[in-house]
Amino acid sequence: MLYIHESNIKNKIDSNYKNLSDELSRFYNEEYLPFRESIQTLRFADGDNDSFREATELINGYYDTAFAFQQEYNIDTRSKFLSTIYEELSVYLFRDHEAIVNGSFDVFNKGIYAGMKFVDGEDISIVTKDVDFCIGRRINITIDDSAPTYLILPVVCVEVKTYLDATMFGEVKSSSQAIRSATPNSKTYVLMGHKELADDHIIAARQDSALTEMFVLRKDASSPIEAEVLYEYWDEITTALDGIFEPVAIETPGRLLFPSNRQQQMTLFDD
Protein backbone atom coordinates (compact mmCIF):
# COMPACT_ATOMS: atom_id res chain seq x y z
CA MET A 1 0.00 0.00 0.00
CA LEU A 2 1.25 3.49 -0.86
CA TYR A 3 1.61 5.67 2.22
CA ILE A 4 2.76 8.78 0.39
CA HIS A 5 2.68 11.14 3.35
CA GLU A 6 4.73 8.75 5.46
CA SER A 7 7.27 8.47 2.64
CA ASN A 8 7.43 12.25 2.42
CA ILE A 9 8.23 12.57 6.12
CA LYS A 10 10.76 9.71 6.09
CA ASN A 11 12.56 11.13 3.06
CA LYS A 12 12.90 14.44 4.86
CA ILE A 13 14.26 12.68 7.93
CA ASP A 14 16.77 10.65 5.88
CA SER A 15 17.97 13.71 3.95
CA ASN A 16 18.05 15.89 7.10
CA TYR A 17 15.80 18.40 5.38
CA LYS A 18 16.76 21.90 6.57
CA ASN A 19 18.58 20.24 9.48
CA LEU A 20 15.20 19.16 10.86
CA SER A 21 15.82 15.44 11.14
CA ASP A 22 15.27 15.35 14.92
CA GLU A 23 12.14 17.53 14.77
CA LEU A 24 10.68 15.52 11.91
CA SER A 25 11.42 12.26 13.73
CA ARG A 26 9.52 13.50 16.77
CA PHE A 27 6.64 14.62 14.58
CA TYR A 28 6.57 11.22 12.87
CA ASN A 29 6.48 9.27 16.13
CA GLU A 30 4.33 11.56 18.23
CA GLU A 31 1.85 12.89 15.67
CA TYR A 32 1.81 10.90 12.43
CA LEU A 33 1.88 7.34 13.77
CA PRO A 34 -0.89 7.88 16.37
CA PHE A 35 -3.05 9.53 13.69
CA ARG A 36 -2.50 6.68 11.26
CA GLU A 37 -3.16 4.00 13.87
CA SER A 38 -6.41 5.70 14.86
CA ILE A 39 -7.80 6.21 11.38
CA GLN A 40 -6.91 2.67 10.32
CA THR A 41 -9.19 1.28 13.01
CA LEU A 42 -12.19 2.73 11.15
CA ARG A 43 -14.17 0.67 8.65
CA PHE A 44 -16.08 2.69 6.10
CA ALA A 45 -19.46 1.50 4.87
CA ASP A 46 -22.58 2.98 3.38
CA GLY A 47 -24.83 4.27 6.14
CA ASP A 48 -22.07 4.30 8.77
CA ASN A 49 -22.01 8.06 9.24
CA ASP A 50 -20.15 7.82 12.54
CA SER A 51 -17.02 6.44 10.85
CA PHE A 52 -16.92 9.34 8.39
CA ARG A 53 -17.47 11.87 11.16
CA GLU A 54 -14.73 10.33 13.29
CA ALA A 55 -12.36 10.15 10.31
CA THR A 56 -13.04 13.81 9.56
CA GLU A 57 -12.25 14.82 13.12
CA LEU A 58 -9.00 12.85 13.03
CA ILE A 59 -7.99 14.33 9.68
CA ASN A 60 -8.80 17.90 10.70
CA GLY A 61 -6.88 17.54 13.93
CA TYR A 62 -3.84 16.01 12.26
CA TYR A 63 -3.88 18.49 9.38
CA ASP A 64 -3.95 21.44 11.79
CA THR A 65 -1.01 19.95 13.68
CA ALA A 66 0.94 19.36 10.45
CA PHE A 67 0.15 22.88 9.22
CA ALA A 68 1.41 24.38 12.47
CA PHE A 69 4.58 22.27 12.21
CA GLN A 70 5.11 23.44 8.63
CA GLN A 71 4.72 27.08 9.66
CA GLU A 72 6.97 26.79 12.71
CA TYR A 73 9.85 25.21 10.83
CA ASN A 74 9.34 27.00 7.50
CA ILE A 75 8.83 23.85 5.45
CA ASP A 76 8.51 24.77 1.78
CA THR A 77 4.97 24.31 0.48
CA ARG A 78 6.45 22.87 -2.72
CA SER A 79 7.80 19.93 -0.73
CA LYS A 80 4.25 18.45 -0.66
CA PHE A 81 4.37 18.00 3.10
CA LEU A 82 0.69 18.96 3.44
CA SER A 83 -0.69 17.85 0.08
CA THR A 84 0.49 14.27 0.64
CA ILE A 85 -1.91 14.09 3.58
CA TYR A 86 -4.74 14.30 1.05
CA GLU A 87 -3.06 11.69 -1.16
CA GLU A 88 -2.74 9.27 1.74
CA LEU A 89 -6.34 9.91 2.72
CA SER A 90 -7.51 7.86 -0.28
CA VAL A 91 -5.48 4.89 0.94
CA TYR A 92 -7.31 4.91 4.29
CA LEU A 93 -10.70 5.18 2.62
CA PHE A 94 -10.29 2.36 0.10
CA ARG A 95 -7.68 -0.03 1.51
CA ASP A 96 -10.43 -2.36 2.78
CA HIS A 97 -12.44 -2.49 -0.44
CA GLU A 98 -12.98 -6.12 -1.38
CA ALA A 99 -11.46 -5.71 -4.85
CA ILE A 100 -8.20 -4.48 -3.32
CA VAL A 101 -8.16 -6.96 -0.45
CA ASN A 102 -8.70 -9.96 -2.76
CA GLY A 103 -6.06 -8.77 -5.23
CA SER A 104 -8.34 -7.95 -8.18
CA PHE A 105 -6.94 -4.41 -8.13
CA ASP A 106 -4.08 -2.58 -6.48
CA VAL A 107 -3.07 0.99 -5.70
CA PHE A 108 -0.55 2.84 -7.90
CA ASN A 109 0.69 6.36 -8.54
CA LYS A 110 3.25 5.98 -11.34
CA GLY A 111 3.31 4.62 -14.88
CA ILE A 112 -0.43 4.67 -15.54
CA TYR A 113 -1.29 3.63 -19.10
CA ALA A 114 -2.17 6.61 -21.32
CA GLY A 115 -1.73 5.23 -24.85
CA MET A 116 0.80 4.05 -27.42
CA LYS A 117 2.80 5.84 -30.10
CA PHE A 118 5.15 5.04 -32.97
CA VAL A 119 8.84 5.78 -32.46
CA ASP A 120 11.08 6.19 -35.56
CA GLY A 121 8.22 5.03 -37.74
CA GLU A 122 8.17 1.37 -36.65
CA ASP A 123 8.81 0.80 -32.97
CA ILE A 124 5.90 1.20 -30.57
CA SER A 125 6.32 3.01 -27.29
CA ILE A 126 3.88 2.92 -24.37
CA VAL A 127 2.82 6.32 -23.05
CA THR A 128 2.32 6.59 -19.30
CA LYS A 129 1.23 9.23 -16.81
CA ASP A 130 1.94 9.65 -13.12
CA VAL A 131 -1.08 10.45 -10.95
CA ASP A 132 -1.50 11.04 -7.24
CA PHE A 133 -3.74 8.04 -6.59
CA CYS A 134 -4.86 5.24 -8.87
CA ILE A 135 -6.75 2.00 -8.41
CA GLY A 136 -6.12 -0.38 -11.29
CA ARG A 137 -4.57 -3.61 -12.45
CA ARG A 138 -1.10 -4.42 -13.70
CA ILE A 139 -1.11 -6.65 -16.80
CA ASN A 140 1.57 -8.00 -19.12
CA ILE A 141 1.38 -7.59 -22.91
CA THR A 142 3.56 -8.52 -25.87
CA ILE A 143 3.88 -6.29 -28.95
CA ASP A 144 5.09 -8.08 -32.11
CA ASP A 145 8.23 -10.04 -31.24
CA SER A 146 9.33 -7.84 -28.36
CA ALA A 147 9.78 -9.06 -24.82
CA PRO A 148 6.67 -8.88 -22.61
CA THR A 149 6.08 -5.56 -20.93
CA TYR A 150 3.49 -4.47 -18.41
CA LEU A 151 0.73 -1.91 -18.34
CA ILE A 152 -1.13 -0.44 -15.41
CA LEU A 153 -4.73 -0.19 -16.55
CA PRO A 154 -6.65 2.30 -14.39
CA VAL A 155 -10.17 2.01 -13.06
CA VAL A 156 -9.97 5.19 -11.00
CA CYS A 157 -7.41 7.99 -11.17
CA VAL A 158 -7.35 10.89 -8.72
CA GLU A 159 -5.31 14.08 -8.92
CA VAL A 160 -4.88 15.54 -5.44
CA LYS A 161 -4.23 19.21 -4.73
CA THR A 162 -4.00 21.30 -1.57
CA TYR A 163 -5.79 23.87 -3.71
CA LEU A 164 -6.68 24.11 -7.39
CA ASP A 165 -6.13 27.16 -9.56
CA ALA A 166 -6.61 27.74 -13.30
CA THR A 167 -3.08 26.70 -14.30
CA MET A 168 -3.27 23.44 -12.36
CA PHE A 169 -6.74 22.80 -13.73
CA GLY A 170 -5.51 22.92 -17.32
CA GLU A 171 -2.75 20.42 -16.55
CA VAL A 172 -5.14 18.09 -14.74
CA LYS A 173 -7.66 18.12 -17.60
CA SER A 174 -4.96 17.35 -20.18
CA SER A 175 -3.60 14.40 -18.20
CA SER A 176 -7.06 13.06 -17.41
CA GLN A 177 -8.16 13.28 -21.04
CA ALA A 178 -5.16 11.21 -22.14
CA ILE A 179 -5.93 8.51 -19.58
CA ARG A 180 -9.63 8.33 -20.42
CA SER A 181 -8.91 8.22 -24.15
CA ALA A 182 -6.54 5.29 -23.66
CA THR A 183 -8.81 3.45 -21.20
CA PRO A 184 -12.37 4.52 -22.01
CA ASN A 185 -14.07 2.96 -18.98
CA SER A 186 -11.67 4.54 -16.50
CA LYS A 187 -12.87 7.42 -14.34
CA THR A 188 -10.84 10.49 -13.44
CA TYR A 189 -11.28 12.75 -10.44
CA VAL A 190 -9.83 15.75 -8.66
CA LEU A 191 -9.68 15.87 -4.86
CA MET A 192 -8.70 19.28 -3.52
CA GLY A 193 -8.48 20.93 -0.15
CA HIS A 194 -10.01 24.20 -1.33
CA LYS A 195 -10.87 25.91 -4.61
CA GLU A 196 -8.97 28.89 -6.02
CA LEU A 197 -10.62 28.54 -9.40
CA ALA A 198 -13.26 30.79 -10.94
CA ASP A 199 -16.74 29.30 -11.14
CA ASP A 200 -16.69 29.79 -14.93
CA HIS A 201 -14.05 27.06 -15.22
CA ILE A 202 -16.21 24.64 -13.24
CA ILE A 203 -19.32 25.40 -15.28
CA ALA A 204 -17.38 24.79 -18.51
CA ALA A 205 -15.93 21.54 -17.13
CA ARG A 206 -19.44 20.15 -16.67
CA GLN A 207 -19.65 19.89 -20.46
CA ASP A 208 -16.15 18.41 -20.78
CA SER A 209 -15.53 14.66 -20.75
CA ALA A 210 -12.00 14.93 -19.33
CA LEU A 211 -13.07 14.64 -15.69
CA THR A 212 -15.68 12.44 -14.07
CA GLU A 213 -16.05 14.62 -10.95
CA MET A 214 -14.25 17.10 -8.71
CA PHE A 215 -14.44 17.21 -4.91
CA VAL A 216 -13.62 20.14 -2.61
CA LEU A 217 -13.10 19.18 1.01
CA ARG A 218 -13.10 22.70 2.52
CA LYS A 219 -15.19 25.83 1.99
CA ASP A 220 -11.96 27.87 2.02
CA ALA A 221 -8.35 27.53 3.13
CA SER A 222 -9.13 28.12 6.81
CA SER A 223 -12.26 25.97 7.04
CA PRO A 224 -12.28 22.36 8.29
CA ILE A 225 -12.87 19.35 6.07
CA GLU A 226 -16.55 18.43 6.00
CA ALA A 227 -17.65 14.84 6.70
CA GLU A 228 -20.40 14.96 4.07
CA VAL A 229 -17.89 15.61 1.30
CA LEU A 230 -15.63 12.85 2.59
CA TYR A 231 -18.57 10.47 2.35
CA GLU A 232 -19.54 11.68 -1.15
CA TYR A 233 -15.98 11.09 -2.35
CA TRP A 234 -15.88 7.61 -0.79
CA ASP A 235 -19.28 6.73 -2.26
CA GLU A 236 -18.34 7.92 -5.76
CA ILE A 237 -15.09 5.95 -5.91
CA THR A 238 -16.66 2.88 -4.31
CA THR A 239 -19.50 2.95 -6.84
CA ALA A 240 -16.99 3.22 -9.69
CA LEU A 241 -15.07 0.19 -8.40
CA ASP A 242 -18.19 -1.87 -7.83
CA GLY A 243 -19.44 -0.98 -11.30
CA ILE A 244 -16.52 -2.79 -12.93
CA PHE A 245 -17.97 -6.09 -11.73
CA GLU A 246 -21.56 -5.41 -12.76
CA PRO A 247 -22.80 -7.22 -15.88
CA VAL A 248 -23.47 -5.01 -18.88
CA ALA A 249 -27.07 -5.30 -20.04
CA ILE A 250 -28.78 -3.52 -22.92
CA GLU A 251 -32.53 -3.20 -22.40
CA THR A 252 -35.10 -1.87 -24.83
CA PRO A 253 -37.16 0.21 -25.16
CA GLY A 254 -35.59 3.13 -23.36
CA ARG A 255 -32.27 4.83 -22.79
CA LEU A 256 -29.18 3.14 -24.21
CA LEU A 257 -26.23 5.36 -23.26
CA PHE A 258 -27.23 6.40 -19.73
CA PRO A 259 -29.74 3.79 -18.55
CA SER A 260 -29.32 4.76 -14.89
CA ASN A 261 -31.58 7.75 -15.57
CA ARG A 262 -34.40 5.56 -16.87
CA GLN A 263 -35.69 4.12 -13.60
CA GLN A 264 -36.26 7.53 -12.08
CA GLN A 265 -38.39 8.64 -15.02
CA MET A 266 -40.34 5.37 -15.28
CA THR A 267 -41.61 5.81 -11.72
CA LEU A 268 -43.77 8.65 -13.03
CA PHE A 269 -45.97 6.05 -14.71
CA ASP A 270 -46.16 3.52 -11.88
CA ASP A 271 -49.68 4.59 -11.04
Side-chain angles (χ1 to χ4, degrees):
M1 198 61 70
L2 294 172
Y3 293 100
I4 304 300
H5 183 53
E6 178 185 42
S7 296
N8 185 283
I9 299 172
K10 284 187 170 181
N11 287 338
K12 286 179 170 56
I13 294 171
D14 293 341
S15 64
N16 195 20
Y17 175 83
K18 291 189 174 184
N19 294 316
L20 293 173
S21 181
D22 290 342
E23 291 83 354
L24 285 161
S25 293
R26 282 196 296 272
F27 179 88
Y28 176 81
N29 289 304
E30 296 175 6
E31 303 295 345
Y32 170 75
L33 286 181
F35 159 73
R36 174 169 156 178
E37 290 168 1
S38 295
I39 200 168
Q40 285 186 326
T41 64
L42 301 176
R43 294 295 178 265
F44 302 102
D46 195 22
D48 186 3
N49 295 336
D50 288 343
S51 290
F52 290 97
R53 290 193 187 100
E54 187 173 347
T56 303
E57 292 176 3
L58 289 169
I59 296 162
N60 282 328
Y62 177 73
Y63 190 95
D64 289 345
T65 299
F67 180 77
F69 184 87
Q70 175 177 274
Q71 296 293 100
E72 180 179 357
Y73 294 103
N74 195 29
I75 295 176
D76 195 324
T77 57
R78 293 171 297 181
S79 73
K80 301 191 73 175
F81 179 71
L82 288 177
S83 65
T84 50
I85 297 175
Y86 293 126
E87 293 179 45
E88 194 163 292
L89 173 60
S90 292
V91 172
Y92 301 134
L93 289 174
F94 307 114
R95 62 193 292 269
D96 293 319
H97 190 283
E98 183 181 358
I100 294 177
V101 173
N102 67 25
S104 296
F105 296 110
D106 206 344
V107 173
F108 307 92
N109 65 352
K110 296 184 182 299
I112 311 306
Y113 177 65
M116 296 184 183
K117 65 180 180 179
F118 284 105
V119 179
D120 298 329
E122 292 189 8
D123 295 333
I124 297 176
S125 174
I126 295 173
V127 180
T128 63
K129 296 281 187 181
D130 292 346
V131 301
D132 294 316
F133 180 79
C134 171
I135 297 174
R137 180 182 297 170
R138 177 171 171 161
I139 65 169
N140 291 315
I141 65 167
T142 301
I143 303 174
D144 293 334
D145 297 325
S146 63
T149 187
Y150 72 87
L151 302 177
I152 296 174
L153 290 182
V155 175
V156 165
C157 288
V158 184
E159 292 289 353
V160 183
K161 304 293 182 184
T162 304
Y163 66 91
L164 189 72
D165 60 21
T167 300
M168 297 176 190
F169 188 44
E171 296 170 353
V172 166
K173 287 202 300 180
S174 176
S175 176
S176 298
Q177 185 64 64
I179 290 172
R180 295 196 75 180
S181 296
T183 313
N185 66 337
S186 63
K187 298 184 184 299
T188 53
Y189 300 93
V190 178
L191 179 69
M192 71 190 85
H194 65 279
K195 178 176 75 72
E196 294 188 4
L197 187 69
D199 290 348
D200 290 348
H201 293 285
I202 306 299
I203 294 170
R206 290 174 176 173
Q207 310 302 321
D208 192 328
S209 63
L211 290 165
T212 306
E213 186 54 278
M214 304 168 68
F215 293 89
V216 186
L217 293 169
R218 304 173 183 272
K219 184 175 182 179
D220 53 48
S222 59
S223 299
I225 291 172
E226 297 190 6
E228 291 81 359
V229 182
L230 195 68
Y231 168 76
E232 288 179 358
Y233 174 64
W234 174 87
D235 183 62
E236 171 71 27
I237 303 301
T238 299
T239 300
L241 286 175
D242 293 343
I244 292 294
F245 299 97
E246 293 179 357
V248 177
I250 305 297
E251 297 182 1
T252 57
R255 293 174 177 267
L256 296 182
L257 297 184
F258 303 102
S260 60
N261 294 331
R262 183 186 184 207
Q263 187 62 40
Q264 181 179 359
Q265 294 193 359
M266 290 297 288
T267 57
L268 296 173
F269 297 88
D270 284 350
D271 294 339

